Amino acid sequence: MPLRLYNTLTRRAEPFIPADPAHITFYTCGPTVYDDAHIGNFRSFLAADLLRRFLESPLCPVERPGGQPHTGPRRVTHVMNITDVGHMTDDAEGGEQGEDRMAVAGRRLLEAKKSGSLPAGVEVNPADPYQIARFYEHRFLDDARTLGLKISLQAQADPTLHPRATDNVPGMIAVIQRLISRGHAYTVGEPGRRVVYFDVRSFAPYGRLSGNTLDALREGEGGRISAENQAGKKHPADFLLWKEDPSHIMKWPSPWGEGYPGWHIECTVMSVARLRAPQGRVLSPDELASLVVDNGQPLIDLHSGGEDNIFPHHECEMAQSCCAFNASPAGGSFAAMWFHPRFLLVEGAKMSKSKGNFFTARDLFAKGIEPGALRLELIKTHYRSNANFTMQGLADSQRMIDRWRRVHDGARAAAGLAPAAHPAADDHADVTNPAPPSPSGEAFMRAFSEALCDDLNIAAAIAELNTWTGSLTAPGAADLAPIIAADRVLGLLARPRPKALDTDIALFAPGVTPDAAVEDLLRRRKAARAGKDFAASDAIRDQLAAMGYAIKDTAGGKVEVRRA
């Protein structure tokens, strides 16, 4: 069964049919780098990474435009932007008012600098928006590579895969000019206060992606649109392409005065410039201004972003892209497939700093959480369901990874290979000709593939992996190919392993956070053993087991603590 995905545009699961099944073009809306990305952001990015990895796997058949299956080889060009133009704090009103978020980030960094809480060796000028953006961009990329986002790993050699908005302003200006010339955008205001808007009524299908209608998007609906921001618009839903504002913290010259681009136009330019260019190139502003795609055909194969991007961001992105580049805009869809993972809850509630349930990836790494366990916890719920991140779920994910790693390492040993070096950039690159899989391994790979072909049913795929690995009494060389094939999709076993954490009484295994209650029980156990009260010692071991811990005495006198 070829891959089927739920397409937000058509509101149904349908075969994924790329224009060229040997080369898929994929764009993901990336981070805004005025703060650290939280685990909810990474849930969306990792869902896209899982899909990208599966598309590149020989386990993934896709449908050709003519209906025949294509099983590879296949290359995915995946682009994810870095938004480093400061959004305004009133993004809900179109980004025309409020305060530049880079200024907010600057105050946060200034406070951190004064309090001495910036990381050691970090020098950043809180008054320089470019330094602020680079500071948070580097932190994002570090977290992304630690979690195994393939695009961020590849971008080390090809930075065009992570385009920055600030590097693409000339292209944005060229596309805005084209939209004006084609009758899809207009300028209002006097010099010094000019604004360029997209005319939503010039694109008849506007609202098709989100389900909104122009009649519903009238002025003041829901209290989100101020009267000030409606002045001069032809329709209340018309959205910002450029705003002249010499006082803005980040600004550029343009035909409409010195100012800044709207949020939506950034992604149109960064996606099309890279994904419609020959391999390794980026279209120039002049090339963007002359690009024409016939017959309303999609410009790219696949577009992803969190469900909160559907409206207004992706709705507006689709409209302006079709109107800029399609010869017949009304028949266009920008992307053939729109992929939107849902939100992440934490312990059943919305993430909130005031509730104490707000986590960034680096928060959890600092607590000793293994990156692979965090990755698994964030991808193991189906992308179209709200995921619920819990500490118990994280512990369960760690146990699964430990079990799969034992199978992988045992199979490598049986194949006569040295322990894996776990290369970060090219998972399992040293295994070139693994032994043919056993019949059970072949059956597992078929079942794993069928699960993921069913709208990326990750829960069913993980269940198949658990069933197969649980059936192995002693992993052999024939089990190496199946475990590698699965992990090249899941991206787990090559993630860095944190070091064990050493205390005066215990050696906490990687991924196990030191716990004062556990250490107290270990001290009581040590005292009981010294007094030859072995019944009490055994009772404490059982109590720890009930708490989810397995312990083992080491030659050095400390107790190794692992998750049971």
Side-chain angles (χ1 to χ4, degrees):
M1 179 181 72
L3 174 65
R4 295 176 64 85
L5 291 171
Y6 183 87
N7 190 348
T8 305
L9 183 65
T10 59
R11 293 170 181 75
R12 65 174 182 265
E14 58 191 33
F16 174 57
I17 308 175
D20 177 2
H23 177 212
I24 292 169
T25 53
F26 187 0
Y27 183 76
T28 293
C29 279
T32 48
V33 287
Y34 50 78
D35 203 349
D36 287 331
H38 55 68
I39 58 174
N41 301 137
F42 274 113
R43 198 248 168 159
S44 177
F45 300 148
L46 287 168
D49 184 69
L50 176 70
L51 175 55
R52 180 258 174 91
R53 285 171 175 266
F54 185 50
L55 286 167
E56 290 181 328
S57 168
L59 299 178
C60 178
V62 300
E63 190 172 315
R64 297 177 186 269
Q68 302 84 7
H70 178 274
T71 56
R74 187 177 305 128
R75 175 170 56 89
V76 176
T77 300
H78 189 190
V79 172
M80 183 166 72
N81 66 297
I82 302 291
T83 293
D84 57 350
V85 173
H87 286 194
M88 306 300 282
T89 52
D90 80 334
D91 274 343
E93 290 198 14
E96 298 181 53
Q97 301 294 328
E99 185 178 12
D100 189 309
R101 292 180 186 266
M102 284 297 179
V104 177
R107 289 200 300 274
R108 187 190 315 117
L109 286 174
L110 180 60
E111 195 60 40
K113 197 169 186 177
K114 288 179 178 177
S115 65
S117 57
L118 280 178
V122 169
E123 285 295 331
V124 56
N125 180 359
D128 185 335
Y130 289 91
Q131 288 193 36
I132 294 168
R134 295 296 80 77
F135 172 77
Y136 285 115
E137 178 187 341
H138 292 154
R139 288 164 70 89
F140 168 77
L141 293 175
D142 184 52
D143 291 345
R145 289 163 184 154
T146 301
L147 284 167
L149 259 70
K150 201 164 185 179
I151 186 172
S152 299
L153 293 166
Q154 288 186 329
Q156 294 175 101
D158 182 1
T160 66
L161 299 176
H162 270 322
R164 295 172 179 157
T166 51
D167 293 334
N168 285 270
V169 173
M172 297 175 206
I173 291 171
V175 173
I176 293 170
Q177 288 178 305
R178 188 172 198 194
L179 287 168
I180 292 172
S181 69
R182 299 189 78 181
H184 297 290
Y186 58 94
T187 306
V188 300
E190 299 298 320
R193 298 174 57 88
R194 285 171 289 187
V195 182
V196 183
Y197 290 115
F198 180 88
D199 183 354
V200 296
R201 288 182 297 183
S202 74
F203 183 62
Y206 187 83
R208 184 159 57 111
L209 182 68
S210 62
N212 286 307
T213 65
L214 290 180
D215 288 340
L217 296 171
R218 57 176 52 95
E219 181 175 354
E221 183 184 13
R224 288 179 52 158
I225 304 175
S226 69
E228 180 182 0
N229 284 357
Q230 294 309 310
K233 288 187 179 182
K234 295 180 178 180
H235 187 280
D238 291 352
F239 57 86
L240 178 72
L241 295 173
W242 188 272
K243 182 170 184 180
E244 182 180 19
D245 184 357
S247 68
H248 196 263
I249 191 172
M250 302 178 83
K251 53 189 176 289
W252 295 264
S254 83
W256 318 283
E258 192 174 48
Y260 61 93
W263 174 25
H264 314 306
I265 195 67
E266 299 171 16
C267 284
T268 286
V269 170
M270 288 185 280
S271 57
V272 173
R274 179 62 175 84
L275 293 174
R276 294 293 302 193
Q279 178 65 16
R281 281 195 57 228
V282 177
L283 295 180
S284 70
D286 287 344
E287 288 173 312
L288 282 168
S290 60
L291 175 66
V292 178
V293 178
D294 293 331
N295 303 321
Q297 63 183 272
L299 282 91
I300 62 175
D301 294 313
L302 185 59
H303 196 312
S304 78
E307 67 172 334
D308 56 329
N309 286 148
I310 296 173
F311 189 85
H313 186 43
H314 287 171
E315 189 75 71
C316 297
E317 198 182 330
M318 181 173 76
Q320 67 197 12
S321 301
C322 293
C323 290
F325 303 118
N326 278 119
S328 304
S333 60
F334 184 29
M337 179 74 68
W338 291 83
F339 176 85
H340 290 104
R342 297 196 66 186
F343 293 118
L344 178 77
L345 304 175
V346 176
E347 302 288 354
K350 185 177 179 180
M351 271 196 299
S352 166
K353 290 182 180 179
S354 63
K355 293 179 181 177
N357 69 345
F358 185 95
F359 297 108
T360 67
R362 57 186 49 230
D363 290 336
L364 296 169
F365 299 154
K367 295 177 184 292
I369 300 301
E370 181 175 331
L374 178 56
R375 179 184 170 97
L376 179 56
E377 179 64 8
L378 293 175
I379 66 172
K380 71 183 184 184
T381 301
H382 191 267
Y383 75 94
R384 284 199 295 116
S385 298
N386 286 333
N388 185 29
F389 176 90
T390 68
M391 289 302 169
Q392 180 57 54
L394 194 57
D396 294 341
S397 293
Q398 182 67 62
R399 281 193 289 270
M400 279 194 280
I401 287 178
D402 289 342
R403 184 163 61 248
W404 301 338
R405 186 171 280 137
R406 286 193 292 271
V407 171
H408 170 261
D409 293 352
R412 281 185 66 98
L417 297 172
H422 299 290
D426 193 1
D427 302 1
H428 315 287
D430 62 330
V431 182
T432 54
N433 293 298
S438 64
S440 70
E442 288 275 14
F444 156 67
M445 288 193 290
R446 283 195 300 273
F448 185 84
S449 170
E450 289 170 4
L452 291 176
C453 281
D454 181 17
D455 195 22
L456 217 63
N457 189 341
I458 185 64
I462 289 172
E464 295 291 348
L465 179 55
N466 280 329
T467 298
W468 174 67
T469 54
S471 71
L472 302 176
T473 53
D479 300 313
L480 185 57
I483 193 70
I484 285 178
D487 190 57
R488 281 180 172 151
V489 174
L490 299 177
L492 299 167
L493 302 184
R495 305 285 61 77
R497 303 187 200 181
K499 295 179 181 178
L501 298 174
D502 204 352
T503 69
D504 66 323
I505 186 71
L507 188 65
F508 287 89
V512 181
T513 304
D515 186 298
V518 172
E519 291 185 272
D520 181 61
L521 287 170
L522 292 177
R523 291 187 185 94
R524 287 164 51 192
R525 176 176 175 269
K526 183 176 182 179
R529 287 168 65 85
K532 301 192 181 299
D533 188 350
F534 297 112
S537 172
D538 291 344
I540 292 171
R541 178 188 289 270
D542 293 342
Q543 184 178 349
L544 287 166
M547 293 167 63
Y549 296 99
I551 63 172
K552 178 182 178 182
D553 294 303
T554 70
K558 294 186 179 182
V559 182
E560 182 183 86
V561 181
R562 294 184 174 275
R563 286 288 181 183

